[in-house]
């Protein structure tokens, strides 16, 4: 009897304790913000079991609780705060239900001086694209994180995690600076707690958290600070079109309309040309934009204002927190046009010089141009997207340096002909130009292809002297090769030397082959020359139709110019310079490539696949 009484008393006490105990808040997003932002509105998302029935109040006297949104799912609350008069502070958000009271401390931080003056990447920069899991492993202790779903590292499996991380990138910033790149673009670093294939980063499960297998939020901030200290900008990859199916926002949806097709999997057609196709059916447009990229990547409904605010704020949070210089937005045309336009404007309203590049993977310059800010083809709509990716030029470059150039087609004529159509772009200088990236075959498909050094050298000269913002994929400087036909995992091979026991360390010249050192040195020479070169960064472009297989073009800024003559044939060619006098202001010039003086009073002879880069 005594034992039963004690047990009943304990149960009663436990019941009372449960009644009075605070609700567990599982997520607060974002978990802090800043005073003095140009947009004073802040959305705070709270996630916890059955919290929507609580009354909400805040303790701050200079912050206004404008709106409390209770969603379809009782596990969420959305608070909209007005911070127009807010000073930096920590205040309490109080949830109250009967006698139960939960207090959530919330911090409004002081902005750094000049925080809005972020310098975005531009045509004076060269971006170096890195897949963090495949570049270098600087901290093996985070390779496997207990509790995360993909709990293995297998470098022999191209689709598994390999262990690269932020520390590995930080350890090789001197290598990148020495190479001459001025910005690093990292494939997504936010949490991808998926059961498989998480290495690439494109299925985000927490928009405010660095994946712990790559490092921490603080370690990313340190990486950005270290890169800035070495004169390099940082570009962050983001995905607003979709998230990962293990994201808590999908597993326990705030409301069915947070995702397209009410959270039910419907495959996209991938045919995003339908967005601007004047003949497209409503069905084609809807299935392209609202359909899911894959079943494990649920498609977010950006037309929902709460989803839009959540995504926009997440990007601004990372800019303010880490001081990044740019964003590359994945699958840009797959998301809602109006929301994405509002996002671009919201970011540049807060950070006027910030740059965003959208992944606009379309087959023609006309289609790509539609997505660029101030495009006449999109009017009266405006994407507000300053930079778009020039995929059609990538296709041409991957063919041009193999083919014979004639006066009417093939080889370098491809490049000339394509650039004659630049009038479709609102701003050709704000095009991202590239030979390859993590989603395409590498510029060299096979190891034996890398022996063609003329192809490599001509491609680099063109890439780094034409209009736009060049991007280089990690490993190009050491002749890494891969064919997409063999799977995406092999496009993203480990950088040799990024792991402690690698047989060769290609970060070190002593361990590279002679061919790799020649390729590295050639790229390095061009990149270091391009760095701070206003003629290339800001200059106009004037070109001539290829003649006798030779393509000539000029970049000019104020009283300085660079003139390139490039032979796109397998034969030595000699041309009369008379037609080119308007871009040859002197009778001789230095060839940057060889360091020799070229006499321009006589005909110019170029060897097979040869070129000169003349400085005036």
């Amino acid at each position: 009897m005594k034992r039963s009484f004690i047990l009943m008393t304990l149960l009663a006490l436990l019941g009372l304790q449960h009644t009075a105990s605070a609700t567990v808040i599982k997520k607060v997003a974002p978990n802090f913000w800043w005073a003095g932002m140009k947009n004073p509105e802040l959305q705070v998302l709270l996630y916890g079991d059955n919290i929507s029935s609580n009354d909400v109040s805040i303790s701050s006297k200079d912050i206004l609780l404008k709106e409390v949104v209770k969603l379809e799912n009782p596990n969420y609350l959305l608070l909209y705060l007005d911070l127009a008069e807010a000073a930096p502070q920590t205040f309490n958000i109080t949830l109250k239900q009967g006698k139960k009271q939960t207090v959530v401390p919330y911090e409004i931080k002081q902005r750094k001086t000049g925080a809005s003056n972020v310098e975005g990447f531009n045509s004076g920069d060269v971006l170096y694209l890195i897949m963090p899991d495949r570049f270098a492993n600087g901290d093996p202790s985070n390779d496997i994180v207990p509790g995360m779903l993909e709990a293995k590292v297998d470098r022999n499996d191209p689709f598994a995690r390999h262990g690269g991380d932020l520390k590995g990138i930080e350890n090789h910033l001197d290598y990148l600076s020495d190479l001459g790149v001025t910005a690093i673009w990292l494939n997504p670093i936010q949490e991808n707690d998926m059961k498989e294939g998480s290495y690439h980063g494109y299925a985000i499960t927490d928009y405010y958290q660095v994946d712990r297998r790559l490092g921490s939020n603080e370690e990313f901030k340190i990486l950005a600070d270290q890169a800035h200290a070495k004169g390099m900008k940082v570009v962050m990859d983001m995905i607003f079109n979709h998230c990962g199916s293990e994201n808590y926002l999908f597993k326990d949806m705030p409301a069915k309309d947070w995702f397209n097709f009410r959270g039910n999997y419907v495959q996209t057609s991938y045919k995003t040309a339908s967005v601007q196709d004047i003949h497209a059916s409503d069905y084609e447009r809807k299935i392209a934009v609202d359909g899911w990229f894959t079943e494990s990547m649920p498609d977010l409904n950006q037309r929902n204002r709460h989803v839009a605010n959540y995504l926009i704020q997440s990007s601004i949070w990372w800019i303010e927190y880490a001081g990044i210089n740019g964003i590359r937005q994945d699958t840009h045309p797959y998301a809602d046009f109006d929301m994405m336009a509002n996002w671009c404007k919201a970011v540049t309203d807060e950070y006027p010089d910030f740059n965003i590049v959208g992944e606009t993977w379309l087959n023609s310059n006309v289609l790509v141009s539609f997505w660029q800010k101030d495009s006449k083809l999109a009017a009266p709509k405006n994407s507000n997207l300053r930079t778009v990716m020039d995929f059609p030029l990538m296709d041409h470059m991957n063919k041009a340096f193999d083919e014979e150039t004639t006066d009417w087609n093939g080889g370098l004529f491809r490049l000339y002909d394509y650039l004659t159509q630049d009038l479709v772009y609102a701003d050709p200088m704000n095009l991202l130009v590239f030979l390859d990236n993590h989603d395409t075959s590498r510029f060299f498909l096979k190891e034996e292809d890398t022996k063609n050094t003329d192809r490599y050298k001509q491609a680099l000269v063109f890439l780094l002297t034409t209009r736009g913002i060049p991007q280089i994929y990690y490993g190009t400087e050491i002749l890494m090769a891969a064919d997409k036909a063999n799977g995406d995992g092999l496009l993203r091979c480990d950088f040799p030397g990024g792991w402690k026991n690698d047989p060769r360390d290609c970060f070190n010249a002593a361990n590279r082959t002679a061919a790799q050192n020649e390729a590295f040195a050639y790229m390095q020479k061009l990149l270091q020359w391009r760095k701070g070169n206003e003629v290339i960064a800001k200059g106009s472009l004037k070109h001539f139709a290829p003649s006798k297989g030779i393509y000539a073009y000029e970049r000019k800024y104020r009283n300085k110019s660079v003139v390139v003559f490039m032979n796109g044939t397998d034969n030595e060619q000699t041309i009369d310079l008379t037609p080119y006098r308007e871009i040859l202001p002197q009778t001789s010039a230095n060839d940057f490539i060889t360091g020799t003086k070229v006499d321009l009073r006589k005909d110019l002879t170029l060897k097979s696949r040869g070129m000169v880069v003349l400085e005036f």
Side-chain angles (χ1 to χ4, degrees):
M1 184 75 179
K2 186 175 180 181
R3 180 180 292 177
S4 299
F5 176 77
I6 292 171
L7 181 60
M8 290 175 64
T9 304
L10 283 171
L11 287 170
L13 287 171
L14 286 170
L16 286 171
Q17 185 179 1
H18 176 73
T19 302
S21 67
T23 300
V24 175
I25 302 299
K26 300 175 184 178
K27 292 279 186 181
V28 179
N31 55 0
F32 59 83
W33 199 249
W34 294 267
M37 303 292 283
K38 292 177 185 175
N39 179 1
E41 184 177 86
L42 171 64
Q43 177 203 77
V44 177
L45 180 149
L46 301 178
Y47 175 53
D49 292 341
N50 294 307
I51 62 172
S52 68
S53 57
N54 283 267
D55 293 324
V56 182
S57 62
I58 61 174
S59 63
S60 176
K61 295 181 179 179
D62 55 9
I63 296 174
L64 174 65
L65 178 58
K66 289 170 47 178
E67 185 180 6
V68 177
V69 179
K70 298 184 178 184
L71 298 161
E72 185 180 321
N73 184 337
N75 295 337
Y76 289 89
L77 279 170
L78 290 176
L79 314 183
Y80 284 90
L81 306 176
D82 184 343
L83 306 184
E85 306 296 327
Q89 61 188 278
T90 296
F91 66 96
N92 291 331
I93 300 170
T94 301
L95 308 183
K96 192 171 183 180
Q97 186 177 33
K99 294 182 179 180
K100 186 193 296 185
Q101 182 169 293
T102 303
V103 176
V104 181
Y106 199 88
E107 183 179 9
I108 302 296
K109 294 178 179 287
Q110 175 69 55
R111 293 188 80 184
K112 290 182 180 178
T113 303
S116 63
N117 299 325
V118 173
E119 183 183 359
F121 67 92
N122 54 51
S123 53
D125 290 305
V126 177
L127 278 60
Y128 185 92
L129 169 57
I130 296 172
M131 182 156 282
D133 181 65
R134 303 296 170 88
F135 191 64
N137 189 350
D139 182 7
S141 71
N142 64 20
D143 289 359
I144 297 173
V145 175
M148 298 197 78
L149 297 177
E150 191 171 9
K152 72 168 186 173
V153 168
D154 184 356
R155 294 182 65 198
N156 294 315
D157 181 349
F159 299 102
R161 298 194 72 89
H162 290 190
D165 50 33
L166 299 178
K167 187 64 177 174
I169 299 169
E170 183 188 342
N171 290 347
H172 294 97
L173 288 176
D174 285 339
Y175 168 86
L176 298 173
S177 178
D178 184 52
L179 180 59
V181 298
T182 62
I184 54 174
W185 157 22
L186 307 182
N187 289 125
I189 60 165
Q190 292 149 296
E191 183 190 88
N192 268 245
D193 193 9
M194 300 289 288
K195 294 175 182 176
E196 59 184 8
S198 66
Y199 76 94
H200 56 66
Y202 285 96
I204 292 173
T205 54
D206 191 329
Y207 279 86
Y208 285 96
Q209 179 65 49
V210 166
D211 194 295
R212 287 169 287 166
R213 293 160 297 191
L214 298 179
S216 65
N217 287 8
E218 181 61 25
E219 284 174 308
F220 176 58
K221 188 175 184 301
I222 290 170
L223 172 62
D225 289 343
Q226 290 290 325
H228 292 154
K230 296 179 185 298
M232 288 181 285
K233 300 172 184 176
V234 177
V235 179
M236 195 172 172
D237 213 323
M238 295 190 179
I239 311 101
F240 286 179
N241 177 67
H242 54 264
C243 67
S245 56
E246 295 292 334
N247 192 309
Y248 70 97
L249 293 171
F250 179 70
K251 293 180 74 176
D252 191 19
M253 281 181 270
K256 290 290 186 183
D257 66 353
W258 270 61
F259 293 88
N260 286 318
F261 294 103
R262 297 186 63 77
N264 296 307
Y265 168 59
V266 176
Q267 179 63 48
T268 180
S269 65
Y270 302 110
K271 295 173 182 176
T272 54
S274 60
V275 174
Q276 61 258 53
D277 178 3
I278 62 173
H279 307 297
S281 67
D282 294 341
Y283 171 80
E284 284 286 348
R285 288 197 183 99
K286 182 173 179 61
I287 205 70
V289 173
D290 289 359
W292 295 21
F293 211 74
T294 68
E295 189 170 3
S296 63
M297 295 177 175
D299 206 71
L300 287 157
N301 175 19
Q302 300 90 17
R303 292 180 293 273
N304 180 317
R305 73 175 175 107
H306 306 306
V307 175
N309 286 332
Y310 178 87
L311 295 171
I312 290 169
Q313 279 190 184
S314 71
S315 66
I316 290 174
W317 188 90
W318 283 107
I319 300 168
E320 193 74 15
Y321 172 73
I324 60 173
N325 306 91
I327 292 169
R328 180 266 192 181
Q329 181 63 238
D330 185 64
T331 55
H332 195 102
Y334 289 82
D336 181 71
F337 183 99
D338 293 335
M339 178 270 167
M340 297 299 272
N342 291 337
W343 166 60
C344 291
K345 185 176 185 302
V347 169
T348 51
D349 282 351
E350 202 71 60
Y351 310 95
D353 192 47
F354 194 85
N355 198 3
I356 298 170
V357 55
E359 184 196 26
T360 45
W361 199 340
L362 294 151
N363 294 330
S364 78
N365 48 4
V366 172
L367 296 175
V368 172
S369 72
F370 174 91
W371 293 95
Q372 191 173 36
K373 180 182 179 183
D374 298 332
S375 170
K376 292 179 181 178
L377 296 179
K381 287 190 171 187
N382 194 327
S383 71
N384 297 312
L385 177 64
R386 188 177 300 173
T387 302
V388 289
M389 294 178 68
D390 198 346
F391 277 95
L393 182 59
M394 180 201 76
D395 289 337
H396 286 302
M397 287 191 290
N398 273 269
K399 298 170 184 173
F401 306 105
D402 295 314
E403 300 171 339
E404 282 288 300
T405 303
T406 74
D407 288 0
W408 292 102
N409 55 51
L412 304 183
F413 188 89
R414 286 179 173 276
L415 307 180
Y416 162 77
D417 188 49
Y418 181 76
L419 293 178
T420 65
Q421 303 162 38
D422 268 2
L423 78 167
V424 300
Y425 288 113
D427 185 1
M429 289 296 284
N430 267 313
L431 299 173
L432 194 75
V433 294
F434 50 98
L435 300 172
D436 52 12
N437 67 26
H438 63 287
D439 284 326
T440 72
S441 291
R442 283 187 176 268
F443 186 64
F444 288 118
L445 297 181
K446 302 183 294 293
E447 189 76 25
E448 54 262 37
D449 296 340
T450 64
K451 296 173 184 177
N452 188 348
T453 56
D454 288 340
R455 181 177 191 262
Y456 175 83
K457 291 177 179 180
Q458 285 199 333
L460 281 185
V461 166
F462 179 77
L463 177 72
L464 297 174
T465 58
T466 193
R467 78 335 182 229
I469 306 168
Q471 170 251 299
I472 291 166
Y473 189 32
Y474 79 94
T476 301
E477 72 276 18
I478 58 166
L479 304 177
M480 287 176 69
D483 187 343
K484 189 175 176 72
N486 297 321
D488 284 355
L490 293 176
L491 306 177
R492 306 151 183 179
C493 283
D494 299 345
F495 194 102
W499 280 253
K500 187 175 181 181
N501 297 317
D502 281 357
R504 280 197 308 128
D505 178 6
C506 288
F507 289 111
N508 188 329
N511 296 315
R512 295 193 286 260
T513 67
Q516 287 175 327
N517 274 326
E518 181 185 0
F520 181 95
Y522 194 84
M523 183 186 288
Q524 181 185 50
K525 182 176 181 177
L526 283 168
L527 289 175
Q528 293 291 357
W529 168 76
R530 194 185 192 281
K531 192 186 297 184
N533 189 328
E534 288 192 317
V535 175
I536 306 301
K538 300 177 181 179
S540 59
L541 171 62
K542 178 183 286 189
H543 66 169
F544 293 75
S547 175
K548 298 181 70 174
I550 291 179
Y551 179 39
Y553 57 94
E554 172 201 56
R555 301 298 307 279
K556 186 174 184 179
Y557 184 68
R558 295 178 178 166
N559 63 343
K560 293 184 177 181
S561 63
V562 170
V563 174
V564 177
F565 285 90
M566 189 176 290
N567 181 0
T569 76
D570 289 332
N571 300 304
E572 182 180 281
Q573 299 287 353
T574 299
I575 55 169
D576 177 4
L577 292 179
T578 302
Y580 307 99
R581 290 298 170 199
E582 65 186 88
I583 62 169
L584 302 174
Q586 299 166 15
T587 58
S588 66
N590 180 63
D591 173 21
F592 166 73
I593 300 295
T594 62
T596 60
K597 183 173 284 190
V598 178
D599 186 350
L600 301 173
R601 294 170 298 182
K602 57 185 183 181
D603 293 350
L604 177 68
T605 298
L606 294 178
K607 68 175 185 176
S608 164
R609 303 290 173 177
M611 59 192 155
V612 290
V613 178
L614 306 176
E615 297 180 286
F616 296 97

